[in-house]
Amino acid sequence: MNPDYMQTSENSAFCRRAFLSTSTKAVGAVLLGLPILSLAKVPAADKITVGQITDLFIKEVPGAPFENTVDTLKAGDREIIVTGVVTCMFATIEVIQKTIDLGANFIIAHEPTFYNHADDTEWLQLSEVYQYKAGLLKQHNIAVWRNHDYIHRHVPDGVISSVVDQLQWTKYYDTNSHLANIPDTTVEQIIQHAKTKLGIEQLRYIGDLKQVCKRVLIMPGAAGGKRQIEGIINTQPDVLITGEIQEWETAEYVRDARAKGQNISLIVLGHIASEAPGSDYMVTWLHQNIPAIKAVHVSSKNSLKFM
């Protein structure tokens, strides 16, 4: 799905048609025999609640529900009757407005809504930005559910599997090691490939563009410096592809490793670009499991610009 078709509010009419078309195709796919849950287990389209959708997904996750998780409702409640679902990386004000334009009222976001991991809002009570955003959600009775821990523990991991799929490396990828053993490719070619397949304008890297790589360690999102460095130590990749880094951690390790003569490169995609495919995964899951509900991915886009 191309997220760029919903970049402006002027496109809202087209968005609505795309929204309806998408769910129509999903129902058609079901009739052709895609593996889904029995429709007898799913309420009628005009009676499906937020809680029923979240519970259905969580039920598929090994070991769930989790006692300690950030995957909670950030707005709205479980009893809201769902008119449509928008999946995204961040429930930005722009994404909320597009949700309203689409006639949807349930946002499934991968990352926080209120600017911190736990979505604690006590410290934001004097913020006009927070008050405006929270008020917009309340005014339009929109529910926001964060799906971070559960989608990563889903089988397969909904984010990583989608990133690998979009990179067209599924046949090379080992889920246990997180390594893709690709045909010999230079760092420069990998960068251009990632930019094209993941829709990235610019990214950061460390290494020799002409270095030939085969073993690619894939760690989207923000795994943290210790896990990224341990991944390098344990798997000895030619290149690590990740979402974001602490510049004083992984980047410095890779720089020193290269200084000692190790052929290791680092490619930093950006957090949003590296995990956005997970939102497409959620749309596919919704179409397959609850085909009566309209669902579409809206791109949060990159918050940062490059000069």
Side-chain angles (χ1 to χ4, degrees), residues 4-12 15 94 98 101 301:
D4 295 331
Y5 77 94
M6 288 191 290
Q7 288 186 346
T8 65
S9 57
E10 288 82 359
N11 287 334
S12 60
C15 295
E94 183 180 13
K98 288 175 180 175
D101 292 342
K301 296 179 287 188

Side-chain angles (χ1 to χ4, degrees), residues 19 81-86 99 102-107 293-296:
F19 205 175
I81 303 296
V82 177
T83 60
V85 182
V86 163
T99 301
L102 286 166
N105 65 349
F106 185 24
I107 298 174
I293 286 291
K294 298 172 289 186
V296 67

Side-chain angles (χ1 to χ4, degrees), residues 156-175:
D157 180 314
V159 175
I160 295 178
S161 64
S162 296
V163 172
V164 173
D165 181 62
Q166 288 198 17
L167 288 169
Q168 298 180 341
W169 288 349
T170 301
K171 64 182 178 181
Y172 306 124
Y173 183 70
D174 177 67
T175 56

